[in-house]
Amino acid sequence: MIVAENRSIKHRNIVSKLYSFVPAEIGIALEDFRGILEQHGVTPDGRLFFSMLSEPTADVMTAELFMGIEEGDITLPPEEEVMFRSYFEIRNLHTIRLMEDIDAQSQVAYWELAKHVDAGGYHQTTPVFVEYKQSPQGGTYVEMSVGAVR
């Protein structure tokens, strides 16, 4: 796997929410998040990524889920614990792209990023981000990134 350096994640109009779940149930968390947004009249636009806030080997994963929305501003009840950002940017990322067999390759990619950061003498500055993207041909691929500087 090839690690690209000096990458970034940039988005406008992003909402996020913290979740804890068994890794196999990330789809349930995503559907819950989407349901909260739709219940309050917020329109997800298809952009989706998350940050892993716990170790990937943990039985229960803590993650911040992010979704792009069509609206330029929203107000949700505080009990929904949804955060809105008009602009979101993370720089100095080291990134691996997974084009196929994403579930099986994600653990390999995680450890490859960790090895790259360690071997390069970098200091990790962000959690790991996993961003789902669409290819021009309509397929889904994933970019897994971690912020790191010397």
Side-chain angles (χ1 to χ4, degrees):
M1 293 183 166
I2 297 172
V3 177
E5 295 183 2
N6 207 20
R7 308 296 287 187
S8 62
I9 296 173
K10 298 177 186 179
H11 291 285
R12 292 188 48 79
N13 301 330
I14 293 291
V15 290
S16 69
K17 182 172 173 65
L18 288 173
Y19 281 89
S20 292
F21 49 85
V22 176
E25 296 180 349
I26 187 170
I28 295 170
L30 289 169
E31 285 308 311
D32 178 73
F33 190 21
R34 185 179 312 282
I36 291 169
L37 297 177
E38 290 173 354
Q39 174 185 350
H40 294 286
V42 178
T43 313
D45 66 9
R47 292 175 293 148
L48 174 65
F49 61 103
F50 66 91
S51 63
M52 292 189 291
L53 303 175
S54 56
E55 292 296 320
T57 55
D59 291 337
V60 175
M61 184 165 112
T62 300
E64 185 170 6
L65 304 183
F66 298 85
M67 285 190 189
I69 60 170
E70 292 181 6
E71 293 78 10
D73 192 19
I74 62 166
T75 302
L76 271 69
E79 61 271 13
E80 298 293 9
E81 299 179 333
V82 172
M83 180 182 292
F84 171 78
R85 294 174 180 92
S86 61
Y87 191 72
F88 181 89
E89 180 178 21
I90 303 287
R91 295 181 183 180
N92 300 316
L93 295 174
H94 299 246
T95 302
I96 290 179
R97 183 173 289 168
L98 305 171
M99 297 299 292
E100 53 191 40
D101 204 13
I102 293 167
D103 289 338
Q105 292 297 314
S106 61
Q107 281 287 333
V108 174
Y110 175 87
W111 294 113
E112 190 66 29
L113 278 173
K115 184 173 91 176
H116 173 82
V117 168
D118 187 50
Y122 294 98
H123 169 71
Q124 185 173 334
T125 58
T126 71
V128 173
F129 285 86
V130 178
E131 188 172 17
Y132 295 88
K133 295 187 169 189
Q134 296 293 313
S135 71
Q137 297 78 22
T140 299
Y141 66 95
V142 166
E143 287 186 348
M144 184 178 289
S145 305
V146 65
V149 296
R150 286 201 168 110

